[in-house]
Amino acid sequence: MPPPPPISNTIRRLRFDHGEMTQQQLADAIGMTRQTVAAIEQNKYSPSLEAAFRIAEVFGVEIGAVFQWKADHKPQA
């Protein structure tokens, strides 16, 4: 199994802070499936740049408040 992407996120916390929004509600708001939202939230999948901006927009925050780059990650050769 490949390692998780070097990006972490705060989607679960943001969903909770926004009235305990479900993954399905977020998926509907950004035009994706619930399964894709779950994979992004669990760091199994990195969203496209457009999807990342859409997620940030739903929560009314900057993209950096949703996604963080793990600087200590070393790419595999």
Side-chain angles (χ1 to χ4, degrees):
M1 174 177 271
I7 298 173
S8 62
N9 69 73
T10 58
I11 295 172
R12 186 171 185 193
R13 182 185 55 79
L14 287 165
R15 286 192 306 103
F16 182 82
D17 292 348
H18 284 79
E20 298 186 23
M21 177 187 289
T22 66
Q23 289 177 339
Q24 185 63 58
Q25 289 170 320
L26 177 57
D28 292 344
I30 62 172
M32 299 184 108
T33 66
R34 185 204 60 78
Q35 291 84 354
T36 300
V37 168
I40 293 169
E41 189 174 295
Q42 296 167 12
N43 293 320
K44 294 180 179 179
Y45 174 76
S46 292
S48 68
L49 188 56
E50 180 182 352
F53 275 109
R54 285 183 184 182
I55 292 167
E57 184 177 54
V58 165
F59 296 120
V61 298
E62 296 290 326
I63 196 168
V66 182
F67 297 97
Q68 301 78 40
W69 179 260
K70 295 178 186 176
D72 62 335
H73 177 77
K74 302 205 179 3
Q76 292 183 345

